[in-house]
């Protein structure tokens, strides 16, 4: 874009508005207690700025809403399915396009087909639902992030990359026949929404091809990744983002997508590949759990909105604003003395709670404590990525410290404006001045799988009322 000004403005005007959940501190204090200090249990209308996730929380465009009215709701052979298929095929180049209701449905189907005991899936980093679905099938999910990914404070352009040498050592050790798939998550959500370079995708492609292992993309945020490549990788500055995205897909044998991110919709996903043996098995499971081949758990109108969203997301004015917004939040937090994964990711900013709250032990969930304090003081909802989310316990039920204690501030697409972000920075600056007052938490109860969604907590060391 020919833009000579420093200010990157939101490249849209607002046609329909929703009120924010304005509450008092006392109301939020009561809400937190009622929610057992788990922000997933807070009613959304009690949240002022919701940065829990960027998944399904975006605003659709007028064109997408128009598409919703044009949705074809036929059970079989709906026109909207063919629009969806055409759009995904032209972007990814894959032959088999399977609609699903969201990303994890694709994961469940794929790993039921190719997972199982004794097998390993290798990745730059599995997202938590991906890992859970791999493990549920009996297989093991192995992450090979580059070393700089774990050096949170030090900036590097492609912290989402995979450590190719470490991956190769693992493949040699376990034998390629036990590794049915390599998955590259773009961008790398678990480690800060950081991008993967084209060079790294090519290197992983060459490695996996050498051992006959297919490589898939978990492409929930493919457009953000492609934009980072354009900005940061040599030789891509003049290339349209759409071409860069196509080049990413050309390197892969398949992909799945939670369309709730970069397809700019509130629900949906797909699984795409060329392997007809896998896709035939996947379609059997699809019909069993999701629905027929031409709707896969979605309404025709959803398929229509996804097809339009996949085109809109590649608009470079949108992507410039999108990536700049996260960077703006990151810069504001750093200035306020809040440590983050640096540089900020594509879909949000990850605060390093371990460094921010050194007085809270990992067993008392510093990132969860920070997320709760952020809600209490500012009505802002983020999400913990730390000891509670990973939930590993020893034989005595004691929590094992996770390697990281992060609070992710995810940014819904096209929803908040710069003044909302300025407010978030102001609340954080206040927290930075009063952080000694933030106290740790302890778990009252938590399930074994994906514990962070439903765990109940309470302030650590607080005397509990006697049971009558
Ligand atoms: N893969 C990645 C990289 C994701 O970020 C997500 C979801 C999924 C797969 C699963 O997709 O939610 O549609 O079933 N991430 C959301 C988040 C939940 O908040 O980051 P889903």
């Amino acid at each position: 874009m020919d833009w000579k000004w420093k200010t990157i403005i939101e490249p849209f005007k607002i046609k329909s508005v929703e009120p924010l959940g304005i509450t008092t501190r006392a109301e939020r204090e009561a809400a937190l207690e009622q929610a057992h200090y788990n922000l997933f249990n807070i009613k959304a209308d009690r949240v002022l700025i919701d940065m829990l996730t960027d998944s399904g929380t975006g605003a659709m465009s007028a064109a997408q809403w128009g598409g919703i009215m044009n949705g074809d709701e036929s059970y079989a052979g709906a026109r909207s399915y063919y629009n969806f298929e055409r759009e995904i095929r032209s972007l990814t180049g894959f032959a088999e396009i399977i609609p699903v209701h969201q990303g994890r449905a694709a994961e469940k189907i794929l790993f039921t087909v190719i997972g199982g005991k004794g097998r390993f899936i290798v990745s730059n980093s599995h997202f938590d639902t991906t890992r859970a679905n791999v493990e549920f099938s009996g297989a093991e999910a192995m992450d090979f992030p580059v070393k700089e990914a774990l050096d949170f404070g030090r900036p590097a352009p492609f912290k989402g990359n995979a450590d190719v040498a470490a991956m190769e050592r693992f493949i040699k050790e376990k034998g390629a026949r036990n590794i049915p798939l390599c998955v590259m998550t773009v961008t790398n959500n678990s480690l800060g929404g950081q991008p993967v370079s084209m060079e790294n995708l090519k290197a992983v492609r060459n490695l996996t091809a050498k051992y006959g292992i297919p490589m898939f993309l978990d492409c929930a945020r493919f457009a953000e990744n492609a934009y980072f490549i354009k900005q940061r990788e040599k030789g891509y500055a003049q290339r349209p983002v759409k071409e860069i995205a196509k080049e990413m897909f050309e390197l892969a044998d398949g992909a799945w997508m939670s369309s709730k991110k970069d397809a700019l919709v509130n629900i949906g996903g797909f699984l795409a590949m060329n392997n007809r043996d896998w896709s035939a098995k996947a379609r059997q499971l699809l019909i069993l759990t999701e629905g027929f081949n031409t709707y896969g758990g979605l309404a025709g109108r959803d398929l229509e909105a996804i097809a339009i969203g996949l085109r809109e997301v590649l608009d470079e004015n949108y992507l410039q604003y999108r990536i700049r917004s996260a960077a703006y939040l990151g810069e504001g937090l750093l200035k306020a003395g809040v440590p983050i994964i640096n540089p900020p990711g594509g879909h949000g900013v990850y605060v390093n709670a371990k460094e921010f709250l050194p007085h809270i032990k990992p067993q008392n969930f510093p990132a969860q404590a920070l997320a709760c304090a952020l809600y209490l003081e500012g009505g802002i909802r983020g999400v913990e990525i730390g000891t509670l989310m990973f939930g590993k316990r020893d034989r005595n039920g004691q929590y094992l410290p996770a390697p990281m204690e992060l609070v992710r501030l995810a940014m819904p697409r096209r929803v908040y404006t710069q003044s909302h972000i300025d407010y978030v920075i102001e609340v954080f600056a206040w927290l930075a001045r009063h952080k000694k007052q933030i106290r740790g938490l302890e778990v009252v109860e938590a399930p074994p799988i994906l514990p962070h969604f439903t765990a109940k907590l309470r302030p650590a060391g607080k005397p509990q009322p006697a049971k009558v």
Side-chain angles (χ1 to χ4, degrees):
M1 183 173 52
D2 175 21
W3 189 264
K4 66 178 174 180
W5 312 107
K6 207 169 107 249
T7 311
I8 307 295
I9 58 170
E10 288 87 3
F12 48 79
K13 51 187 179 173
I14 296 165
K15 178 173 276 182
S16 177
V17 298
E18 261 184 287
L20 296 177
I22 295 177
T23 51
T24 63
R25 190 180 186 280
E27 284 168 339
R28 293 194 295 275
E29 196 169 7
L32 257 184
E33 203 169 315
Q34 246 179 26
H36 302 283
Y37 299 86
N38 184 335
L39 299 172
F40 284 97
N41 293 332
I42 300 270
K43 290 188 175 143
D45 58 11
R46 301 278 163 84
V47 177
L48 188 70
I49 308 282
D50 205 345
M51 306 183 94
L52 184 72
T53 178
D54 63 322
S55 181
T57 52
M60 291 207 294
S61 65
Q64 284 177 299
W65 283 110
I68 292 270
M69 285 310 291
N70 275 324
D72 177 355
E73 303 302 341
S74 305
Y75 189 98
R79 181 184 63 245
S80 298
Y81 170 74
Y82 293 106
N83 290 343
F84 168 92
E85 185 190 57
R86 190 180 334 105
E87 201 57 47
I88 296 167
R89 231 182 233 158
S90 96
L91 174 67
T92 67
F94 300 126
E96 301 287 332
I97 311 294
I98 301 172
V100 291
H101 81 275
Q102 62 182 79
R104 71 196 70 181
E107 293 165 353
K108 176 75 169 75
I109 288 173
L110 181 65
F111 294 113
T112 304
V113 173
I114 66 168
K117 214 170 159 40
R119 297 188 163 172
F120 302 89
I121 309 298
V122 295
S123 177
N124 54 342
S125 294
H126 294 78
F127 178 64
D128 60 1
T129 61
T130 321
R131 170 176 297 280
N133 275 300
V134 168
E135 289 173 356
F136 192 74
S137 82
E140 281 180 59
M142 305 299 302
D143 290 346
F144 298 93
V146 282
K147 290 202 178 55
E148 60 258 39
L150 301 170
D151 190 353
F152 294 148
R154 184 175 312 163
F158 290 106
K159 287 172 134 183
N161 283 353
D163 182 336
V164 181
M167 205 182 257
E168 178 157 28
R169 280 196 297 277
F170 183 83
I171 295 172
K172 280 187 179 154
E173 185 195 325
K174 299 293 177 187
R177 67 185 179 289
N178 298 315
I179 305 176
L181 191 76
C182 167
V183 48
M184 291 296 285
T185 309
V186 292
T187 57
N188 189 342
N189 186 8
S190 306
L191 286 173
Q194 300 290 314
V196 178
S197 69
M198 195 70 83
E199 188 186 19
N200 190 250
L201 282 177
K202 283 180 187 163
V204 173
R205 163 83 220 167
N206 290 339
L207 171 72
T208 50
K210 177 170 150 193
Y211 291 95
I213 299 168
M215 181 179 99
F216 274 37
L217 300 181
D218 175 351
C219 66
R221 302 177 181 86
F222 75 95
E224 291 171 7
N225 199 88
Y227 188 77
F228 277 123
I229 290 176
K230 183 181 174 104
Q231 275 193 317
R232 297 181 184 173
E233 194 162 350
K234 206 164 156 252
Y236 288 92
Q238 302 308 324
R239 298 268 304 277
V241 172
K242 187 171 183 176
E243 261 184 37
I244 299 173
K246 283 187 171 184
E247 189 180 333
M248 286 163 51
F249 285 111
E250 265 166 32
L251 294 168
D253 301 290
W256 72 86
M257 180 179 194
S258 167
S259 303
K260 300 170 75 172
K261 285 82 171 178
D262 271 356
L264 304 173
V265 292
N266 305 117
I267 195 73
F270 65 80
L271 173 61
M273 65 187 88
N274 289 326
N275 184 323
R276 288 192 202 279
D277 174 37
W278 286 7
S279 69
K281 288 178 183 152
R283 288 183 193 282
Q284 288 297 302
L285 293 167
L286 183 81
I287 291 172
L288 199 63
T289 59
E290 291 282 289
F292 185 62
N293 283 324
T294 60
Y295 72 89
L298 293 168
R301 53 179 173 266
D302 300 323
L303 298 165
E304 201 71 44
I306 291 170
I308 299 166
L310 285 172
R311 283 198 298 277
E312 286 183 355
V313 78
L314 291 165
D315 171 1
E316 300 195 12
N317 295 331
Y318 160 76
L319 283 167
Q320 180 189 37
Y321 136 80
R322 171 77 180 153
I323 300 302
R324 179 66 202 134
S325 306
Y328 179 83
L329 173 58
E331 286 160 16
L333 293 183
L334 282 173
K335 239 183 256 162
V338 180
I340 62 165
I341 295 190
N342 202 9
H347 64 293
V349 176
Y350 293 56
V351 175
N352 186 348
K354 196 191 267 185
E355 201 181 316
F356 190 60
L357 302 176
H359 61 283
I360 303 181
K361 291 186 303 204
Q363 286 79 3
N364 294 124
F365 310 104
Q368 184 69 11
L370 176 57
C372 287
L374 189 60
Y375 174 71
L376 179 64
E377 300 303 338
I380 300 159
R381 176 158 69 170
V383 72
E384 187 248 22
I385 303 180
T387 298
L388 183 63
M389 176 180 273
F390 295 111
K392 299 254 184 284
R393 282 176 253 191
D394 66 14
R395 258 186 253 138
N396 306 322
Q398 289 297 311
Y399 277 82
L400 299 169
M404 63 199 81
E405 292 292 343
L406 303 170
V407 175
R408 184 184 73 173
L409 305 170
M411 299 174 79
R413 291 169 180 77
R414 308 190 288 204
V415 169
Y416 296 120
T417 63
Q418 187 171 339
S419 69
H420 294 121
I421 300 305
D422 286 334
Y423 169 81
V424 174
I425 295 167
E426 186 185 344
V427 173
F428 256 104
W430 188 92
L431 284 177
R433 292 193 300 275
H434 298 85
K435 62 185 184 179
K436 293 256 162 58
Q437 294 168 16
I438 303 175
R439 294 268 160 268
L441 299 164
E442 59 194 27
V443 161
V444 180
E445 58 180 76
I449 297 178
L450 298 172
H452 54 295
F453 287 123
T454 52
K456 293 183 177 171
L457 299 100
R458 66 183 171 211
K462 189 175 166 188
Q464 295 304 305
K467 278 197 185 128
V468 202

